[in-house]
Amino acid sequence: MSDDRRLAVLRAIVEDYVSSHEPVGSKTLVERHQLGVSPATIRNDMAALEDEGYITQPHTSAGRIPTDKGYRLFVDRLAGVKPMSAAEKRAIQTFLDGATDLDDVVDRTVRLLAQITRQAAVVQYPSLSRAAVRHVELVPVGGRSALVVLITDSGRVEQRVVDVRSATGAEPLATALVALRTRVNAAVGGSRLARAREALTDLVQQSPPADLAVAAEVAAALGDCLTASLEERVVIAGTANLVKSGADLAASLGSVLEALEEHVVLLRLVQEMTEDAGDRGALSVRIGAENLHLGLAETSVVTSGYGTGPDQVLARLGVLGPTRMDYPTTMAAVRAVARYVSRILAQ
């Protein structure tokens, strides 16, 4: 569509319908918007928009509501994402700055997104296929036990307690762990997680006979930590917001909630939206039938990438809600939160 006036009419219909949840008529458009044309012209524009599939009439003698195609054009033609106020930005920063570790960052992020957008929020844990080992710590915690701690460069922390049966007492174990910690960090420090396993295997094979049993136990525990770190996970919050959306999802609410429970579906959707964005850190919006996954055809999803720097987007976060969504405000919130999370992870 190239007619700027018709685009203005569509924009007005979307804004009014999102605000009022009532079909929008030509009289309402004339009263609320300075479109600079007569009611008859607006009716003609609405008829053309309906013929082209951008709006539809839900029932006889009613106003019009946007279709998925209409929402898509509205989003694609946004002049810019609505900026958040300084107070809103400070509130986001204050809430996220209190996080103590990666798990806390993810938990705070998903709850914050659900609260400020009043939608269901989804945060993908950082994809660690490209993450590296920052540090490994080995701490004696008993006569024959040791705490193995793996810290990645994305802030992920995994830990295991191992029972080192070869140790005869706390002092021999502590002594062995000090030396082994140095060797482990030399072997895997800075290595990608996917390659760290190989380095651990080599380390065990090259260990002196006296340290072999301890090294094998620690390497096995670190192997478990590496496996856990590479698992793809998503966290969800705010599903109750979907229930509060009323008639928007009344017919499909059960299917939407079932889809949200299937984390495999969400991970696949997030991956597809990463591909949609082109730039991994860019905003991506899927509207209605563009969501091919069962149960999500009446929803819209807005996501953005986040990471530790412009060239290292680790994962995506975003929200899911009905297609009758305040897209400019939602997109601004998702983008702002993604930027703050990126800054926190980069520290």
Side-chain angles (χ1 to χ4, degrees):
M1 178 187 298
S2 59
D3 191 322
D4 291 339
R5 190 184 67 243
R6 290 181 183 173
L7 181 60
V9 171
L10 174 63
R11 182 180 296 112
I13 292 172
V14 170
E15 292 173 352
D16 281 4
Y17 180 61
V18 168
S19 175
S20 69
H21 199 189
E22 295 291 338
V24 182
S26 58
K27 182 180 179 181
T28 300
L29 293 178
V30 171
E31 293 175 348
R32 294 183 181 176
H33 302 272
Q34 302 297 320
L35 296 174
V37 294
S38 68
T41 300
I42 290 178
R43 285 194 293 272
N44 289 336
D45 289 338
M46 293 175 71
L49 288 167
E50 187 171 9
D51 289 342
E52 295 178 42
Y54 293 104
I55 59 176
T56 187
Q57 190 174 27
H59 48 81
T60 307
S61 301
R64 300 326 194 258
I65 65 174
T67 62
D68 290 353
K69 183 178 179 181
Y71 283 126
R72 169 49 62 190
L73 183 61
F74 173 80
V75 169
D76 289 346
R77 295 294 184 89
L78 280 176
V81 177
K82 178 182 177 181
M84 303 194 78
S85 68
E88 289 172 326
K89 292 179 180 179
R90 284 195 300 271
I92 292 173
Q93 183 175 6
T94 300
F95 186 76
L96 294 180
D97 279 349
T100 57
D101 55 28
L102 179 62
D103 289 334
D104 196 16
V105 170
V106 171
D107 178 68
R108 286 171 179 258
T109 299
V110 74
R111 289 189 288 119
L112 176 66
L113 274 174
Q115 179 179 349
I116 64 179
T117 65
R118 296 185 295 279
Q119 311 287 357
V122 179
V123 177
Q124 179 189 19
Y125 259 84
S127 176
L128 299 179
S129 59
R130 293 186 300 166
V133 176
R134 176 183 293 171
H135 183 70
V136 174
E137 188 61 54
L138 306 178
V139 183
V141 292
R144 297 189 303 173
S145 298
L147 177 65
V148 179
V149 183
L150 170 70
I151 305 171
T152 72
D153 61 357
S154 67
R156 184 76 169 269
V157 178
E158 292 287 342
Q159 58 187 32
R160 300 287 187 276
V161 175
V162 296
D163 185 14
V164 186
R165 298 186 180 278
S166 62
T168 58
E171 188 60 29
L173 176 59
T175 301
L177 291 178
V178 170
L180 183 58
R181 179 181 59 197
T182 301
R183 292 174 54 219
V184 168
N185 280 291
V188 302
S191 298
R192 299 295 186 192
L193 300 192
R195 297 182 179 179
R197 282 182 174 277
E198 299 177 9
L200 288 173
T201 299
D202 293 340
L203 181 143
V204 173
Q205 293 175 347
Q206 297 169 9
S207 295
D211 298 333
L212 184 59
V214 176
E217 292 281 0
V218 169
L222 281 172
D224 289 341
C225 291
L226 292 170
T227 299
S229 296
L230 288 169
E231 290 177 351
E232 295 285 350
R233 289 194 286 162
V234 293
V235 179
I236 305 169
T239 53
N241 290 330
L242 300 179
V243 178
K244 298 175 184 176
S245 63
D248 288 322
L249 294 173
S252 61
L253 181 59
S255 298
V256 172
L257 294 178
E258 288 179 5
L260 289 177
E261 290 179 356
E262 294 292 336
H263 286 197
V264 173
V265 171
L266 291 177
L267 285 167
R268 188 180 303 123
L269 175 62
V270 167
Q271 180 58 41
E272 291 171 356
M273 295 187 73
T274 301
E275 297 170 359
D276 290 347
D279 175 359
R280 288 173 56 87
L283 279 168
S284 178
V285 182
R286 281 200 173 185
I287 300 170
E290 295 171 359
N291 292 306
L292 303 179
H293 300 284
L294 185 64
L296 300 181
E298 295 184 16
T299 67
S300 287
V301 185
V302 179
T303 67
S304 177
Y306 72 91
T308 56
D311 298 323
Q312 190 173 8
V313 175
L314 299 175
R316 295 189 79 78
L317 56 80
V319 298
L320 179 148
T323 54
R324 189 184 69 88
M325 177 186 290
D326 183 349
Y327 290 96
T329 300
T330 301
M331 292 164 68
V334 169
R335 184 179 66 178
V337 172
R339 288 178 174 176
Y340 278 111
V341 173
S342 297
R343 292 176 191 174
I344 291 172
L345 293 181
Q347 293 174 357

